[in-house]
Amino acid sequence: MKNGTIWYDNHGETIQAHGGAIIQYNEVYYWYGEHKGKPNIPGKQAVPLIGVSCYSSPDLIHWEYEGLALSAVPNDPDSPLAPDHICERPKVLYCEKTDTFVMWMHLDNPARTYAGAGVAIADDPRGPFTFLSSMKPNRLDSRDMTLFQDSDGTVYLVHAANYNRTLYFSSLTDDYTALTGLTFPVLIDQYREAPAIMKKDGTYYMISSGCTGWSPNSALYAEADYLIGPWKLIDNPCEGPNYRQTFGGQSTYIFYVNDQPHLMLDHWNAEHLQDSGYSILPITFDHNLLTVRWQNEFMPLASVNRNEEIRK
Ligand code: DGJ
């Protein structure tokens, strides 16, 4: 799979899983993301809402389309999932306590002035997910978002608030479907979007982008010893061609292939959003500095083997 290009499923169709996330469950990888498989609305950098797609794969290379895990609601203009609305950056976690899959997403009206989050659940990783609610988390805005599970099991909705000025961590109940009310701001007034978070050896790391719409900008990573902070912006983690524009991409999620963290990127094509591409790049640590080095190909097993070589 050539990084930075459109990717195809097992049937030669373009993979429509933008702003998404990959999870592993029972030896199968599931990739959820925005289905943008329609032409842009004339004159707009948007497509009508289709829903959240799900793909499955045994090896991260061969992807089977499992259909829409969460579908747009075509016949109810008041639904948060009405076709002219926005549903972006879906993230899914498996909740062991309830044996359900829980999806959170950014929901918005066509003018993007609502800035809320939505939650949906399913018994099967492929869905269909049942939509539960749409909310302003702790009365805050919620635009770009992700989910992060801390090592103590607590799950946080991490969301850009105050018109993208500041990211908030808002903790979720133990069934992951609601907010507990605990919320705290990080990277205050830094205008970061597209957060992707991981923890290594007791340190938290967050890769994020600046706020330039669909256009790429410099990724930055931040570090913290405690989730509540202080979070400190450290550097651009990217190395390679066009590293100041995140190789033409934007972060969306960090997932693990065995023990190796990988960063997922979207390569947005604003005028033809359905033709947006992807990259998946291993995250390494060089002298304790988080590094995302460009590779032309995503070769999951090769990157794991290479990392094992490095460890030896
Ligand atoms: C940047 C965000 O990261 C994307 O998810 C999307 O909302 C675009 N902005 C829209 O311009």
Side-chain angles (χ1 to χ4, degrees):
M1 296 165 94
K2 208 167 170 303
N3 280 324
T5 67
I6 295 169
W7 288 357
Y8 297 90
D9 69 11
N10 289 342
H11 305 281
E13 304 289 335
T14 60
I15 293 183
Q16 292 295 327
H18 310 281
I22 293 173
I23 63 166
Q24 196 181 13
Y25 179 75
N26 282 349
E27 309 294 306
V28 177
Y29 292 98
Y30 294 95
W31 183 358
Y32 304 91
E34 303 158 28
H35 197 306
K36 291 192 174 298
K38 280 190 181 168
N40 278 27
I41 301 163
K44 286 198 163 187
Q45 293 185 340
V47 296
L49 181 56
I50 299 169
V52 176
S53 53
C54 176
Y55 292 81
S56 65
S57 173
D59 55 11
L60 295 159
I61 299 286
H62 302 94
W63 291 99
E64 189 64 30
Y65 180 52
E66 300 287 0
L68 288 174
L70 182 71
S71 301
V73 177
N75 301 321
D76 176 5
D78 295 329
S79 166
L81 295 170
D84 62 346
H85 279 50
I86 310 274
C87 171
E88 289 182 341
R89 297 192 171 269
K91 304 288 176 279
V92 174
L93 287 180
Y94 171 66
C95 179
E96 213 170 292
K97 183 171 182 242
T98 55
D99 192 21
T100 51
F101 294 83
V102 185
M103 179 190 293
W104 284 76
M105 68 216 81
H106 167 201
L107 291 176
D108 230 317
N109 57 17
R112 292 180 178 268
T113 53
Y114 169 64
V119 57
I121 54 168
D123 293 333
D124 188 295
R126 297 163 296 180
F129 282 71
T130 304
F131 187 76
L132 295 184
S133 60
S134 141
M135 75 208 76
K136 302 277 282 194
N138 303 302
R139 295 198 212 103
L140 292 161
D141 287 355
S142 185
R143 289 192 165 84
D144 276 14
M145 48 66 66
T146 193
L147 294 178
F148 174 68
Q149 183 156 33
D150 201 356
S151 31
D152 68 359
T154 309
V155 176
Y156 295 83
L157 172 70
V158 183
H159 54 108
N162 306 348
Y163 279 93
N164 287 339
R165 287 176 89 104
T166 297
L167 286 162
Y168 279 75
F169 280 76
S170 297
S171 73
L172 301 184
T173 51
D174 59 7
D175 64 0
Y176 310 172
T177 65
L179 298 147
T180 62
L182 172 79
T183 187
F184 49 86
V186 303
L187 299 179
I188 295 166
D189 292 347
Q190 294 303 315
Y191 287 92
R192 305 305 298 168
E193 282 190 322
I197 301 163
M198 61 173 279
K199 186 179 188 182
K200 183 180 179 285
D201 301 334
T203 302
Y204 298 94
Y205 297 89
M206 173 163 27
I207 300 172
S208 61
S209 74
C211 300
T212 53
W214 301 111
S215 307
N217 55 55
S218 289
L220 287 177
Y221 85 89
E223 258 182 47
D225 291 335
Y226 303 95
L227 216 49
I228 198 161
W231 281 86
K232 204 173 151 200
L233 285 166
I234 306 289
D235 202 357
N236 179 345
C238 300
E239 277 185 17
N242 202 9
Y243 74 98
R244 298 194 77 170
Q245 257 107 36
T246 317
F247 321 115
Q250 185 187 29
S251 46
T252 180
Y253 200 64
I254 295 170
F255 75 105
Y256 291 80
V257 185
N258 298 337
D259 287 334
Q260 168 69 55
H262 282 74
L263 178 67
M264 299 170 68
L265 299 179
D266 293 292
H267 294 257
W268 301 113
N269 181 340
E271 306 306 327
H272 304 276
L273 281 162
Q274 63 177 332
D275 295 332
S276 299
Y278 309 98
S279 293
I280 300 181
L281 298 165
I283 295 173
T284 53
F285 285 83
D286 294 356
H287 303 98
N288 281 333
L289 294 172
L290 187 151
T291 306
V292 180
R293 198 166 286 125
W294 177 254
Q295 290 183 350
N296 288 329
E297 291 268 338
F298 170 49
M299 292 176 292
L301 294 176
S303 62
V304 169
N305 292 341
R306 207 201 50 220
N307 219 44
E308 273 163 10
E309 286 297 307
I310 293 167
R311 258 186 241 137
K312 274 179 205 160

